[in-house]
Amino acid sequence: MNVKATLYSIGSILLFLVLGLIHVSQGQASGGFFTFWTEVWHDEQQMNFLLHSRMPRFVIGCLAGAALAVAGMLLQTMTKNPLASASTLGIHAGAYFFVVFFAIFFPGISGASPIAVTMAGGILAALCVTFLVGKSLDPVRIALTGMIVTMLFSSFTSALQLLFQNEVSGLFLWGAGTLLQLDWGGVQFAAPWILITLVVALIVSRRFDILLLGDETAIGLGQNITLSKLLGWAIAILLAAVTVTVVGPIGFVGIIAPHLVRLMGFRIHRTMIFGNIVVGASLLIAADILVRIISQTSELPVGAMTAIVGAPWLVYLALKMSSQSRAAGNALEGKIRITRYKLFYPILAVVTLLIVMTSLSFGGTSFTKLLELPQEIMYNTFVWDIRVPRVFVSFGVGMMMAISGLLMQTVLRNPLADASVLGITSGASVFAMLFIIVFPQAPFIFVPIGALLGALITMGIVLAISARSGFQPMILLLMGIAISAVGAAIIQILLVKANVHATQALTWLAGSTYGVGWGHFIIFIVAMIIIFPIVVSLATTFEIMSFGDAVSIGLGVKTDRIRLLMIVLGVVLSAICVSIVGAISFVGLLAPHIARQLVGPKLLRLLPLTLAVGGILLLSADFLGRFVLAPKEIPAGIIVSLIGAPYLLYLLKKTNTVKSK
């Protein structure tokens, strides 16, 4: 190590010791830092608190922080991606899903082999990401793929939490990440796994140094790069899995710590491992200190604090990498598989009409005869006031989500983009949750108003920070990842505090058309009358934007202004959708791509089919949600996730394979 690194090392160790002294002195029974350290030696009760409650919490925090930091460092080396960590690559989401799944269906296995369960979930998520990314090592594509995989696993987890509330009621706090320890049991379980794995990482660290030289150079030096990468992935996943088992999923430590260690001057993996152990432990202990200062009377998840603190760091990295962003994204492609438009569109209209009539004819327990449907609509108040607007609103909101996704994919030149990826849905959800949980007595009309306000505020934050880069695709995507993480953290805090209101909150978060009426349909009509003509009139200009800045500027397009307009239109549409039906994802992702594979990328030809596919997707999901477990309803957002997940996995693999060629 050089002098700079040595000085930073000494400073880090001293800071860690100070944080440790502060951390173990905290607690409801403590009178303060100086009072505690003065009295603890003479007070048996204080000493018991120290030895059997605070010390286990401190030690598990050190172990978890060290494990997450080293895991993040190795994942960044394996993927050559400075944004890689167990949370951004979906490993935490996969482990969390497996824990919830086994806790519900196989509680015996979950209790007997918790590390095997979390390890299996983490491996599955990692395999998904690596398989879908393929040979592409572009940082943005890896980060985006990891985010989509995280969304998939999170959707499945939400579905299980909603359908099996009693079985998973005790997992809310753990699911947000907490260092709460009642005894030394967690430390005794985690310490051998983490310490032995860190020793193995130190022994094989030279392999990872050679990987930094590039695959060809490593092979030339006699390195078995396949074995080295397998070792790196295995160590990182094992460290993350053990951490999730004991303290739950805690994000951003694995991103922040390795970067801080590199800034301190460490470049060799052996010294970087030691540096990450100290820095990672310090970060997590500091976050837990902040959590306990903010809430001295109740337990809050430390994972939420690391996300809130870590998101600005991710934004900093995004802005730092902005010089590379103009190369991000390519013109969107598609195949023209439909040539007989005169025949296709009437068939599509008939199919849509049949889906609408089928949905209208189902009342939750049985089908009415389709021939009697007009009479039901005319004379049955229930059908006219509840079922008809629900069907129309479902179809209309699906259309708006589809347009929003189409605009986002065009402006970002990425078929995997929509408002959910940009964090807009997460921001809207936070404000809606505030009204559901913090102000439960307020009229429910404030929930959609709050969602709309949250989406617009989030949009303002994203645009304000990314304006300096000209609203470049990479900056927008990384901003979305950061905001989504903060939103998820705040929602987790609210859910932990929710108690009796958790069910309503989870239902809204899953996305549901339950309770919509004619007023919502009027909102849809007004929004489409204002926005749709703008989209059609500027369709040619928007299409030019999909070919990149160089081509667009050469053709006289003011790229920054048009990109800003497209983002605003897409976000406003998405905000309206979220305010009406809640946080429904995937429709904006799937509908444009399905349409693009049928009629090609030309926007004016793509637009009507995208509208139809989006409407059909959400309406079908709403119908299936009412039909599958009737009379109990499954939120439409969960059904959309279950329908869209297999296709989205295929889409991820296909797009990344094409990119890598």
Side-chain angles (χ1 to χ4, degrees):
M1 294 191 298
N2 54 33
V3 176
K4 175 184 174 182
T6 302
L7 292 176
Y8 275 124
S9 299
I10 296 172
S12 299
I13 293 172
L14 292 176
L15 177 61
F16 168 73
L17 294 175
V18 171
L19 290 172
L21 292 174
I22 296 173
H23 186 271
V24 297
S25 69
Q26 286 182 308
Q28 297 182 21
S30 176
F33 178 79
F34 293 105
T35 303
F36 172 80
W37 287 112
T38 302
E39 297 178 353
V40 67
W41 315 108
H42 313 290
D43 189 330
E44 184 177 352
Q45 184 179 17
Q46 289 276 33
M47 182 61 71
N48 287 332
F49 278 130
L50 174 65
L51 295 177
H52 302 292
S53 177
R54 297 174 187 174
M55 283 302 297
R57 182 171 186 145
F58 171 71
V59 174
I60 202 64
C62 295
L63 291 171
L68 291 172
V70 174
M73 178 201 70
L74 293 177
L75 290 173
Q76 290 171 19
T77 299
M78 297 305 107
T79 61
K80 297 182 176 65
N81 180 3
L83 305 175
S85 72
S87 54
T88 57
L89 294 182
I91 295 173
H92 280 165
Y96 186 22
F97 168 70
F98 264 53
V99 169
V100 173
F101 179 84
F102 276 83
I104 295 170
F105 299 107
F106 306 101
I109 297 177
S110 180
S113 305
I115 186 63
V117 172
T118 51
M119 186 79 175
I123 290 174
L124 177 61
L127 288 176
C128 286
V129 173
T130 53
F131 173 75
L132 297 171
V133 170
K135 297 179 180 180
S136 173
L137 292 176
D138 178 69
V140 179
R141 296 189 69 84
I142 294 176
L144 182 57
T145 303
M147 184 180 183
I148 299 296
V149 170
T150 298
M151 289 171 60
L152 292 176
F153 279 111
S154 298
S155 297
F156 296 143
T157 303
S158 298
L160 293 177
Q161 288 177 325
L162 191 60
L163 296 175
F164 301 93
Q165 297 171 30
N166 294 331
E167 290 83 352
V168 299
S169 59
L171 294 178
F172 280 120
L173 180 60
W174 173 88
T178 177
L179 300 184
L180 179 64
Q181 301 291 305
L182 301 178
D183 53 34
W184 286 93
V187 175
Q188 292 173 348
F189 170 81
W193 288 97
I194 293 177
L195 294 177
I196 292 174
T197 306
L198 290 176
V199 170
V200 173
L202 285 169
I203 294 173
V204 299
S205 60
R206 181 169 173 76
R207 285 181 170 271
F208 307 137
D209 295 329
I210 298 176
L211 285 179
L212 293 178
L213 302 176
D215 290 354
E216 293 183 0
T217 304
I219 294 173
L221 293 174
Q223 179 78 272
N224 186 336
I225 60 171
T226 301
L227 178 60
S228 297
K229 291 181 178 180
L230 286 175
L231 281 172
W233 277 100
I235 292 171
I237 293 174
L238 180 57
L239 289 173
V242 174
T243 304
V244 172
T245 302
V246 181
V247 300
I250 298 176
F252 284 96
V253 174
I255 293 180
I256 301 174
H259 283 279
L260 290 177
V261 170
R262 294 189 190 98
L263 289 175
M264 290 164 59
F266 295 93
R267 293 293 181 268
I268 304 301
H269 277 81
R270 179 167 295 179
T271 55
M272 286 172 66
I273 289 174
F274 285 112
N276 275 283
I277 289 173
V278 176
V279 173
S282 300
L283 284 173
L284 193 51
I285 293 300
D288 199 41
I289 291 173
L290 290 175
V291 164
R292 298 169 82 182
I293 291 175
I294 294 172
S295 179
Q296 298 181 4
T297 58
S298 61
E299 188 73 25
L300 287 181
V302 68
M305 180 58 67
T306 59
I308 293 172
V309 174
W313 183 265
L314 185 59
V315 173
Y316 161 75
L317 292 176
L319 295 175
K320 186 178 179 181
M321 298 167 61
S322 62
S323 60
Q324 307 171 10
S325 63
R326 295 189 178 274
N330 293 302
L332 299 179
E333 300 177 355
K335 296 181 180 179
I336 302 177
R337 292 183 169 88
I338 298 172
T339 55
R340 298 181 180 180
Y341 296 102
K342 293 182 179 180
L343 181 62
F344 173 73
Y345 282 106
I347 295 175
L348 180 64
V350 172
V351 171
T352 303
L353 182 61
L354 287 175
I355 294 175
V356 170
M357 293 178 65
T358 302
S359 187
L360 283 173
S361 66
F362 181 70
T365 55
S366 62
F367 286 100
T368 60
K369 296 179 181 178
L370 289 178
L371 294 177
E372 298 177 359
L373 185 58
Q375 184 177 0
E376 287 280 330
I377 294 176
M378 290 294 293
Y379 300 106
N380 191 325
T381 304
F382 174 82
V383 173
W384 178 253
D385 292 340
I386 297 179
R387 203 183 303 169
V388 174
R390 179 169 182 169
V391 170
F392 286 178
V393 169
S394 297
F395 195 87
V397 169
M399 292 171 62
M400 288 198 296
M401 288 180 175
I403 297 180
S404 175
L406 179 61
L407 291 174
M408 293 294 181
Q409 291 173 17
T410 302
V411 70
L412 297 179
R413 302 191 294 278
N414 194 312
L416 303 177
D418 81 335
S420 300
V421 175
L422 294 184
I424 306 302
T425 302
S426 181
S429 300
V430 169
F431 277 74
M433 288 301 98
L434 287 174
F435 284 99
I436 292 176
I437 295 174
V438 180
F439 307 106
Q441 304 302 323
F444 195 76
I445 186 64
F446 284 99
V447 175
I449 293 175
L452 182 59
L453 179 64
L456 295 177
I457 291 176
T458 304
M459 178 189 72
I461 295 173
V462 172
L463 296 182
I465 297 178
S466 57
R468 187 177 178 182
S469 68
F471 312 108
Q472 290 299 318
M474 188 194 75
I475 303 299
L476 290 168
L477 292 173
L478 297 181
M479 279 292 300
I481 293 174
I483 289 177
S484 296
V486 173
I490 296 174
I491 289 171
Q492 288 283 6
I493 293 175
L494 294 175
L495 286 176
V496 169
K497 294 289 188 180
N499 296 327
V500 297
H501 305 292
T503 300
Q504 184 184 12
L506 285 172
T507 302
W508 195 92
L509 286 171
S512 176
T513 54
Y514 179 80
V516 298
W518 288 111
H520 299 100
F521 183 69
I522 293 174
I523 294 174
F524 154 71
I525 293 296
V526 172
M528 291 297 287
I529 290 175
I530 295 174
I531 296 177
F532 188 70
I534 299 175
V535 175
V536 174
S537 62
L538 295 175
T540 302
T541 304
F542 290 166
E543 190 173 330
I544 293 173
M545 287 289 296
S546 67
F547 291 96
D549 287 0
V551 175
S552 301
I553 294 172
L555 294 175
V557 176
K558 297 180 179 180
T559 56
D560 289 358
R561 293 183 180 180
I562 296 299
R563 185 178 288 118
L564 176 60
L565 176 61
M566 295 175 71
I567 293 170
V568 170
L569 290 176
V571 168
V572 170
L573 284 170
S574 178
I576 295 171
C577 294
V578 174
S579 69
I580 295 174
V581 299
I584 296 180
S585 303
F586 297 110
V587 174
L589 282 171
L590 295 174
H593 183 77
I594 293 172
R596 197 178 291 115
Q597 296 305 309
L598 294 175
V599 298
K602 190 173 178 60
L603 197 60
L604 284 175
R605 185 181 294 171
L606 183 64
L607 189 57
L609 184 56
T610 301
L611 290 170
V613 173
I616 290 172
L617 275 175
L618 189 55
L619 182 58
S620 300
D622 179 61
F623 168 72
L624 290 174
R626 289 185 289 137
F627 176 73
V628 172
L629 296 178
K632 187 176 181 179
E633 289 192 16
I634 303 174
I638 293 177
I639 299 296
V640 170
S641 300
L642 295 176
I643 294 175
Y647 183 79
L648 188 56
L649 291 172
Y650 160 76
L651 170 60
L652 282 165
K653 177 59 180 175
K654 183 176 180 180
T655 55
N656 284 292
T657 300
V658 172
K659 176 69 177 178
S660 63
K661 289 182 179 180

